[in-house]
Amino acid sequence: MNNKIKFILPRLLGLTVLAGAAVLILSIIFKLLLAGLVLAGIGTFVAKMIGKKREKQMRYGKDMIEFLPYHNKYSQQEKTFSPVVKENLAIIPIQ
């Protein structure tokens, strides 16, 4: 009996050390992912704030005649379409 305990204890100690190392590595990975998520959230928030501030400074819209400096060089795009005439459309069976 005493011999069996001496045989199991080193294996149990080795498994405990391996499990501890695995938990340590997984916790480090989790903390790095969590920190990355928080930093990405802060970065997104800051980019959104800067974008809103830049959008307020940029004046364009319906009252602005020219949006781009080369706007006058190009003619307006003509909207051409042919209306579909629906005259007696029906499914005719073929025999």
Side-chain angles (χ1 to χ4, degrees):
M1 182 77 176
N2 196 9
N3 216 4
K4 288 182 181 179
I5 292 176
K6 287 182 182 179
F7 185 69
I8 292 175
L9 284 179
R11 289 184 180 180
L12 188 61
L13 181 65
L15 285 174
T16 305
V17 169
L18 285 175
V23 168
L24 179 68
I25 291 171
L26 288 175
S27 67
I28 289 173
I29 291 172
F30 176 74
K31 288 177 185 176
L32 287 174
L33 287 173
L34 186 64
L37 178 68
V38 169
L39 288 175
I42 291 171
T44 304
F45 181 71
V46 168
K48 193 177 201 181
M49 296 280 287
I50 291 172
K52 282 186 179 181
K53 194 178 285 187
R54 194 174 284 172
E55 185 178 316
K56 285 180 183 178
Q57 290 175 353
M58 233 178 156
R59 300 197 182 258
Y60 62 90
K62 293 179 181 176
D63 24 332
M64 190 72 173
I65 296 171
E66 292 182 6
F67 175 65
L68 299 172
Y70 53 83
H71 179 73
N72 291 332
K73 293 181 184 177
Y74 300 104
S75 63
Q76 294 290 334
Q77 181 181 3
E78 294 180 11
K79 296 180 180 177
T80 58
F81 62 93
S82 60
V84 178
V85 179
K86 296 183 179 179
E87 296 177 359
N88 298 328
L89 296 178
I91 299 175
I92 302 171
I94 299 175
Q95 296 181 7

